[in-house]
Structures are given as C-alpha cells and as structure tokens.
Amino acid sequence: AQSVTQLDSQVPVFEEAPVELRCNYSSSVSVYLFWYVQYPNQGLQLLLKYLSGSTLVKGINGFEAEFNKSQTSFHLRKPSVHISDTAEYFCAVSGGAAGNKLTFGGGTRVLVKP
Amino acid sequence: DVKVTQSSRYLVKRTGEKVFLECVQDMDHENMFWYRQDPGLGLRLIYFSYDVKMKEKGDIPEGYSVSREKKERFSLILESASTNQTSMYLCASGTKISSIGFGSGTRLTVV
C-alpha cells in the first residue's frame, strides 16, 4: 500500500523566517503529489500540486515545493512566513497503488511566533 | 470553485445511536469521498463513490456504511456509534484527482 510520511509533527518558526516541511512517499510508479493547508476550524485547501513537468511547483500564498523522484520526496518551503501561516499542513499522494484516491500524511502543525 | 457542504459542523451522539453525516456537492462530480481526521494520523479514507449507487471501501471502513442515491449527495452512516468514532469527518468531491475539494468538516463526539 502507498504511504506518506511527514517527518515533523510540529514546526515552530518565527515570523519572517523561512520554513521547510518535509514529505516522503513510498511508490515505485508515477504519482501525483499535493500539499493541503487547514486553518483552524476550517476544511482543507489546496496549496499546490505536482502532476508532471517542472519539478519545482509554485502554489498560493508564496509556497513552493520540489518533487525529487530519486528521493521520493516532495518538501514544501516558504522563504518568509507570516503569522497567518499558522495552520496544519498535509502532504498527499495519488496514483500508482492509490489509483484515484488521495493518501495523506499525518500532518505538520506550523506555529508562527511573532 | 468546488462547493462541498456538510450538513452539521458539530454533532454529539450517544453510544449505540445510528448517525447520519450528510454531504452535498454542487458541481456534478462523479467522485465523492469520506475521510476521518485524527491528530497525528492525518486523513484516512473511509469510503468513496465513483457514481450513483456505487461505493468502494477505503482504508478504514469498519463500523461505517455509505449511501449514494443521488449524484450530488453522499451520506456516511454509523450503524451503532461508538466512542472510538469520535473524530472530525471530512467529505470531498471531484471529477479528477487533481481537482478535489473538501467540505468544512463535521466534528462528531460520541458519548
């Protein structure tokens, strides 16, 4: 079965500092990769996705992620965070064994401190 | 934008009750999904549906069933609620896996 590992459950970061959220997946076939954000008391919102093409994907709110096939990773980065980026972030994968379903990682809670 | 509406934001039910969680989408999507979200476990797929009256088990279907009588509505049913089903439940829909949208969630507490 496909699996997604988010290596950090919580990431505290100061405002205007950079942040990187790590995501690794297990699959030997082509996959689609996603990052979602969940603000407090809200549903999930798509930040960005990798379907094909350029391995550097830019999303909303200044986030970007890089697909690394050899390392089966899809790490999310932002060069300068704001207080409003405090949220939970989920990496997800589909394709391969997952077919037309999304398999999620355990989530990373980002707390931006002033 | 996909609009996925979950009928209840918060629910409190008693152990053994039959519970219905309703989800409606307004985009004529074939695919609909029910996930549960628990701290540290992320989202886990309970059931999904590719068409009316069609359903498939996800990763954690035990204790749940679903109903899809109309294309826009996908219901999750807890036949006999138990305390370990206390969770956040998220519905999603989409035509392609690349364009799935989520509802705001239903936080269910079973006492």
Side-chain angles (χ1 to χ4, degrees):
Chain A
Q2 211 152 41
S3 67
V4 179
T5 302
Q6 291 183 240
L7 295 159
D8 306 295
S9 59
Q10 292 188 59
V11 174
V13 57
F14 286 105
E15 196 173 15
E16 298 184 7
V19 70
E20 179 179 79
L21 308 185
R22 296 178 292 168
C23 173
N24 287 90
Y25 65 93
S26 66
S27 176
S28 59
V29 297
S30 297
V31 295
Y32 299 152
L33 294 155
F34 306 81
W35 275 99
Y36 286 86
V37 60
Q38 186 179 38
Y39 299 106
N41 299 313
Q42 294 187 27
L44 268 68
Q45 179 182 354
L46 182 65
L47 268 180
L48 48 80
K49 59 190 174 188
Y50 171 80
L51 305 180
S52 65
S54 172
T55 57
L56 184 61
V57 180
K58 293 192 183 297
I60 62 171
N61 301 340
F63 284 93
E64 63 180 32
E66 184 147 24
F67 169 56
N68 187 318
K69 188 174 181 179
S70 62
Q71 296 187 8
T72 59
S73 68
F74 191 55
H75 300 334
L76 179 72
R77 290 187 284 265
K78 185 169 182 177
S80 175
V81 296
H82 303 291
I83 295 288
S84 59
D85 292 321
T86 293
E88 190 156 21
Y89 294 79
F90 294 94
C91 182
V93 62
S94 74
N100 201 27
K101 302 172 289 181
L102 286 171
T103 299
F104 286 85
T108 298
R109 195 173 293 276
V110 173
L111 176 60
V112 181
K113 303 176 184 178
Chain B
D1 280 355
V2 177
K3 184 166 168 61
V4 180
T5 302
Q6 294 183 232
S7 56
S8 302
R9 188 77 179 95
Y10 298 96
L11 274 179
V12 180
K13 297 292 181 181
R14 295 195 180 276
T15 301
E17 274 193 77
K18 190 169 186 176
V19 181
F20 292 85
L21 303 184
E22 305 289 345
C23 175
V24 176
Q25 50 95 2
D26 65 354
M27 297 294 288
D28 201 36
H29 288 155
E30 293 86 7
N31 305 318
M32 296 189 74
F33 308 83
W34 273 107
Y35 286 88
R36 68 175 278 176
Q37 180 182 0
D38 299 290
L41 298 177
L43 280 74
R44 292 177 292 166
L45 183 63
I46 305 172
Y47 268 96
F48 59 103
S49 170
Y50 288 147
D51 204 348
V52 175
K53 295 190 186 294
M54 178 276 177
K55 61 186 179 184
E56 285 197 31
K57 293 180 180 179
D59 300 317
I60 52 163
E62 297 78 17
Y64 303 94
S65 62
V66 290
S67 171
R68 193 162 182 204
E69 296 295 319
K70 294 184 178 181
K71 194 174 187 180
E72 68 271 17
R73 187 180 297 270
F74 191 35
S75 303
L76 180 69
I77 304 159
L78 287 65
E79 296 290 343
S80 177
S82 64
T83 54
N84 62 12
Q85 292 177 309
T86 290
S87 186
M88 170 71 89
Y89 290 87
L90 290 165
C91 177
S93 78
T95 297
K96 305 177 192 177
I97 198 68
S98 58
S99 59
I100 286 181
F102 284 82
S104 297
T106 296
R107 187 168 293 281
L108 173 67
T109 301
V110 181
V111 298

